[in-house]
């Protein structure tokens, strides 16, 4: 099995790896910037797919289906899997299907596919999940791309910001480590200046039903890159509690359990249901300034 797969054009060089089909590297060749966090600081991942669960349940990933208890690791199955990948022209595609091992953790059948397509100055990442079985497929889905901030010793984490394509007017979901009832606080902002104080206070900034579709990373007033997403009910901003030169911009369809609720897996907030034979698709795009 080939470990790395690569696409390259005049502006970008993308390298992916079999573990979770993650981006291993995305280089802006114009200035030599590595845009993807290299997994070399507080967090060992880079940009896993969160399927069939975003985060975890309140009781350490345990859940019950048809009277039987199952358990998944944080963020589900794809994050820990080695996927089959191939290059076809200007596209890299990774696939994974349920099998005997996945059904020990998640008792449903699925077909998962993700692809990367390189354009002039952008990468489009697309996903498709199919239900090949004769029973409903409940699942949650989210993205977790980690982007590198500081490119050299002179650049500091706090010199960076995330600017939105319009004023973000929504609610921030506030939660606690001991699963007390969540609260929703109205927020209105044009940008978030990267702040370790905010991260220490909130752990993850989670916004519900964001009205924005773009989040751009800036070093001071210099735009480094943009993330375009549409249709996701949640947007999360995160960095590892161990100070690291990276920030995650995470569009989600669901979220972790933030309260103690004994409810069926399919009733968790944000859960999607695919009927037999149905498919779910979504995508996002990473671009650099032209």
């Amino acid at each position: 099995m080939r470990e790395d797969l690569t696409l390259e054009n005049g502006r970008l060089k993308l390298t992916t790896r079999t573990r979770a089909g993650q981006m291993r590297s995305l280089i802006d060749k114009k200035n030599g910037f590595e845009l993807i966090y290299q997994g070399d600081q507080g967090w060992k991942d880079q940009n896993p797919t969160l399927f069939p669960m975003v985060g975890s349940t309140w009781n350490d990933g345990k859940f019950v289906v048809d009277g039987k208890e199952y358990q998944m690791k944080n963020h589900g199955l794809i994050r820990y899997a080695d996927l089959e990948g191939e290059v076809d022209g200007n596209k890299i595609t990774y696939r994974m299907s349920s099998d005997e091992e996945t059904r020990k953790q998640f008792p449903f059948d699925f077909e998962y596919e993700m692809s990367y397509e390189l354009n002039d100055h952008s990468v489009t990442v697309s996903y498709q999940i199919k239900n090949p079985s004769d029973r409903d497929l409940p699942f949650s889905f989210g993205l977790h791309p980690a982007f590198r901030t500081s490119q050299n010793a002179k650049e500091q984490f706090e010199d960076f910001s995330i600017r939105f394509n319009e004023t973000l007017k929504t609610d921030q979901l506030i939660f606690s480590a001991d699963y007390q009832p969540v609260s929703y606080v109205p927020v209105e902002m044009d940008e978030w200046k990267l702040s370790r104080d905010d991260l220490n206070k909130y752990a993850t900034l989670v916004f519900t039903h964001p009205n924005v579709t773009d989040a751009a990373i800036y070093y001071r007033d210099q735009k480094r890159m943009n993330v375009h997403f549409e249709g996701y009910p949640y947007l999360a901003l995160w960095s590892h509690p161990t100070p690291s030169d990276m920030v995650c911009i995470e569009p989600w369809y669901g979220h972790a359990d933030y309260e103690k609720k004994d409810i069926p897996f399919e009733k968790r907030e944000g859960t999607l249901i695919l009927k037999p034979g149905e498919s779910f698709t979504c995508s996002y795009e990473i671009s650099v300034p032209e």
Side-chain angles (χ1 to χ4, degrees):
M1 180 184 294
R2 294 172 60 186
E3 175 65 23
D4 293 342
L5 299 176
T6 299
L7 296 175
E8 186 172 4
N9 61 18
R11 182 62 186 276
L12 295 170
K13 182 178 180 180
L14 169 70
T15 304
T16 65
R17 60 191 179 111
T18 56
R19 176 48 58 100
Q22 297 183 73
M23 289 178 283
R24 188 173 68 78
S25 173
L26 180 61
I27 296 175
D28 183 349
K29 296 164 62 174
K30 182 178 180 179
N31 45 42
F33 290 157
E34 172 61 76
L35 303 178
I36 298 298
Y37 165 67
Q38 292 299 289
D40 55 354
Q41 294 177 316
W43 192 46
K44 301 306 180 184
D45 247 318
Q46 292 182 278
N47 39 78
T49 304
L50 316 182
F51 170 86
M53 183 163 62
V54 177
S56 186
T57 60
W58 67 268
N59 55 347
D60 197 29
K62 297 176 183 177
F63 59 98
V64 175
V65 175
D66 296 333
K68 182 178 179 179
E69 183 177 271
Y70 297 86
Q71 185 174 23
M72 284 188 283
K73 294 181 181 179
N74 192 48
H75 294 318
L77 299 174
I78 300 296
R79 177 185 185 183
Y80 308 96
D82 290 325
L83 307 188
E84 294 284 348
E86 63 179 5
V87 179
D88 184 6
N90 198 40
K91 193 174 185 179
I92 295 173
T93 301
Y94 287 96
R95 298 179 179 89
M96 177 181 172
S97 295
S98 53
D99 57 23
E100 183 178 348
E101 290 304 311
T102 66
R103 285 189 286 271
K104 292 177 182 177
Q105 303 173 65
F106 181 66
F108 300 94
D109 287 326
F110 62 86
E111 294 176 358
Y112 168 87
E113 180 178 297
M114 67 179 299
S115 64
Y116 300 92
E117 187 169 358
L118 200 63
N119 302 301
D120 291 341
H121 64 285
S122 66
V123 178
T124 300
V125 191
S126 302
Y127 302 86
Q128 183 178 68
I129 296 166
K130 295 181 180 180
N131 179 1
S133 73
D134 58 1
R135 64 185 298 196
D136 288 355
L137 168 61
F139 66 96
S140 189
F141 184 86
L143 311 176
H144 204 317
F147 301 107
R148 183 171 170 176
T149 54
S150 305
Q151 297 288 328
N152 54 61
K154 295 181 180 179
E155 298 181 359
Q156 302 300 311
F157 182 83
E158 291 78 6
D159 292 330
F160 286 80
S161 64
I162 294 175
R163 301 184 185 181
F164 304 106
N165 60 312
E166 58 182 290
T167 300
L168 177 66
K169 298 179 180 180
T170 185
D171 290 334
Q172 182 179 349
L173 190 161
I174 309 296
F175 59 93
S176 61
D178 58 355
Y179 298 102
Q180 294 299 308
V182 302
S183 59
Y184 296 86
V185 178
V187 296
E188 186 170 329
M189 67 172 101
D190 296 313
E191 69 175 337
W192 176 56
K193 294 183 178 180
L194 270 58
S195 165
R196 300 202 192 280
D197 288 342
D198 284 350
L199 292 165
N200 290 335
K201 180 178 180 180
Y202 298 115
T204 306
L205 282 72
V206 181
F207 304 105
T208 66
H209 302 288
N211 60 301
V212 299
T213 59
D214 292 78
I217 296 178
Y218 276 76
Y219 170 66
R220 296 179 176 171
D221 286 326
Q222 179 189 95
K223 186 177 182 179
R224 291 281 171 87
M225 58 175 296
N226 184 75
V227 180
H228 174 75
F229 48 89
E230 291 188 57
Y232 295 82
Y234 301 93
L235 174 65
L237 305 176
W238 178 82
S239 188
H240 198 273
T242 300
S244 304
D245 295 319
M246 64 91 157
V247 64
C248 293
I249 300 173
E250 308 178 43
W252 296 341
Y253 274 88
H255 58 73
D257 286 354
Y258 295 131
E259 300 175 324
K260 292 183 179 180
K261 290 184 177 180
D262 287 314
I263 56 176
F265 182 82
E266 67 274 13
K267 298 296 184 181
R268 297 174 69 241
E269 188 171 43
T271 298
L272 302 166
I273 305 290
L274 282 183
K275 297 292 184 182
E278 289 186 340
S279 298
F280 163 84
T281 60
C282 66
S283 65
Y284 76 110
E285 180 185 78
I286 302 167
S287 62
V288 293
E290 295 188 47

